[in-house]
Amino acid sequence: MLNLPRWQVIGIIAITALAALFALPNLLPGSVLNALPNWYSQSRINLGLDLRGGAYFLLEADLRSVMNERLTNLSDSVRGELRKNQVAYKDINLQGGNSVVVVLRDEAQRAKALEAIRAVDNSLSVSGSGDTIQLTYAAQDLYRKKKEVIDQSIEILRRRVDETGTIEPTIVRQGDDRILLQVPGIKDTTDLKRKINQTAKLTFHLVNEDVSLAGGIPATLPPTTTLIPTREGMLALRASNPKAFEEIQSANPRMTPEQTCRRFQPQCLPVLKRVVVGGEDLDDAKSTFEQQTNRPIISFTFNTAGGRAFCAATRQNIGKRLAIQLDNEIISAPVVQSAICGGSGIITGQFTTQQTQEQALLLRSGALPATLTIIEERTVGADLGADAIHAGTVAAIVGTVLVMVFMFVTYGPLFGGFANLAMSVNMLLVFAGMSVLGASLTLPGIAGLVLTVGMSVDSNVLIYERVREERNNGRSAFSALATGYDRALTAVIDSNLTALIAGVLLFGFGSGPIRGFATSLSLGLLTHLFTATVFTRMLLAVWVRWRRPTELVI
């Protein structure tokens, strides 16, 4: 058990040296890091929000608008299905924000109407009598939909805030309609708030050419049509009436695009509510430049389903205008000259290069299913983080020193030194692993590191006590070391694996500080398996080969 080939010894030493190399950037000053290669200098541990400060946001999702949009889509589908089945109706409208009411012209067609409605969605709850049919989604279905909206918003926020995967923000659900967002290391939150507030919802709609706005906005519009302001119209309104523009921005999402058009009269277009192709079918979006004019544009590519839908829509509507709507504004409304079946296109407008880059990022991340409103904002200062670092560092140092003293006193300078050296290598491997992963170190994470110190020497205690038992049973020094190590190894592996399972579950089901603790603890347990089963064995093997002991002082 203690006869290690030379290549294994060299491999263990090489792994330890690499760990020291990757942990080193955490100790180097900024002037030295700037002179090093970028891939190496960025291999550092990120400090969490509680250690280096950052931004704290509590966001509220506008689930009411999502439900209204869903009901609007339902009413459009029901309207089309009733026409398809030649069922006459007086009116189809939304009621109370949670149901759709259908009023038939002939009560005798009720059974035929119900059959057509079930073809749209068989899970709908149907009530009412006579010529009135009320359609409502089941409570369980509404809860599931709201949960999907929050979960999708969290994932999209994560892609937007941490596209590179190195910032490690904390994004968790709070209650039914709120999201907690913590981003460490952020001082200026302007860019972050812009990413949060922009839904980046891209949709394509046909312009309703039957509605004319030449004589002003009509009092009523067809139920299938709505008004959307153009990007040029909003820019002109911002220049001519800044107060009105600020009022619109502050009123979102409570003010709909149609309300904006009727109240402030910017340039608007009447578009059909039905979405031809949605941003959920986008496969990629990039910031680029137009070859002829060299102006910044956004190029996009649809997935297979989106490409087919876009091809069919353009083929069937040649000569009509197709409005490109992005975040409640029409970017452009070109006339369809021919079928576009390549699965890609471009978005042009009065963009700057930075705007196209940010917009492409948002489109790649996906559209937020609901508008998020910041209802609480806090900034954690660096001074508070420095105090936390000092307190955590003192606790870690005191705990480590006490453990090292205990091992020296209990097992002597030789075997106590082996245990303390293995513990130091274990901590080195932990720091190297966190540096390579770009993990965030939080105050609970420091607690996990201190616990890792205790776990590191715990395995050596098991091994040494087993060696003592074998020596007391009359075995020779070499036999006691080999047998004791061999028989204690099972207990060492079992104890570490069970603790590792707990750490993985904490990481999977926990959030925020709990994840910080689970990260450092789980990584420490993994590296400890290496130091306990491989590194310590190498130390004992080298010592036995060098000293050839006949007695053990342990």
Side-chain angles (χ1 to χ4, degrees), residues 125-147:
S125 175
V126 180
S127 59
S129 59
D131 60 351
T132 302
I133 302 174
Q134 185 172 0
L135 310 176
T136 310
Y137 285 107
Q140 184 178 1
D141 186 44
L142 287 175
Y143 174 79
R144 178 184 58 80
K145 180 62 178 177
K146 291 178 180 179
K147 185 177 183 300

Side-chain angles (χ1 to χ4, degrees), residues 408-478:
F408 277 127
V409 171
T410 306
Y411 298 105
L414 179 64
F415 290 96
F418 285 164
N420 290 332
L421 180 59
M423 178 188 67
S424 302
V425 171
N426 185 34
M427 297 306 296
L428 184 67
L429 290 169
V430 172
F431 282 115
M434 294 182 71
S435 299
V436 172
L437 296 174
S440 292
L441 180 64
T442 60
L443 197 58
I446 295 178
L449 293 178
V450 175
L451 183 58
T452 300
V453 170
M455 298 290 291
S456 298
V457 297
D458 179 63
S459 296
N460 292 103
V461 170
L462 290 173
I463 294 171
Y464 291 164
E465 291 299 324
R466 189 70 191 186
V467 170
R468 279 179 173 177
E469 290 181 7
E470 298 299 331
R471 186 61 177 152
N472 293 334
N473 290 335
R475 290 182 180 272
S476 64
F478 181 84

Side-chain angles (χ1 to χ4, degrees), residues 276-329:
V276 175
V277 188
E280 64 274 8
D281 291 320
L282 275 182
D283 192 38
D284 192 16
K286 296 178 181 178
S287 171
T288 183
F289 295 90
E290 196 173 28
Q291 294 182 354
Q292 296 178 348
T293 62
N294 203 34
R295 62 174 175 172
I297 60 173
I298 302 170
S299 65
F300 61 88
T301 306
F302 287 116
N303 58 23
T304 304
R308 283 200 300 264
F310 194 66
C311 177
T314 51
R315 179 184 292 115
Q316 297 168 6
N317 295 282
I318 294 176
K320 298 181 180 179
R321 284 192 295 172
L322 186 66
I324 304 173
Q325 180 180 340
L326 181 62
D327 281 343
N328 294 330
E329 291 181 359

Side-chain angles (χ1 to χ4, degrees), residues 375-387:
I375 61 174
E376 183 180 351
E377 177 183 355
R378 294 203 306 265
T379 301
V380 180
D383 292 340
L384 181 61
D387 292 341

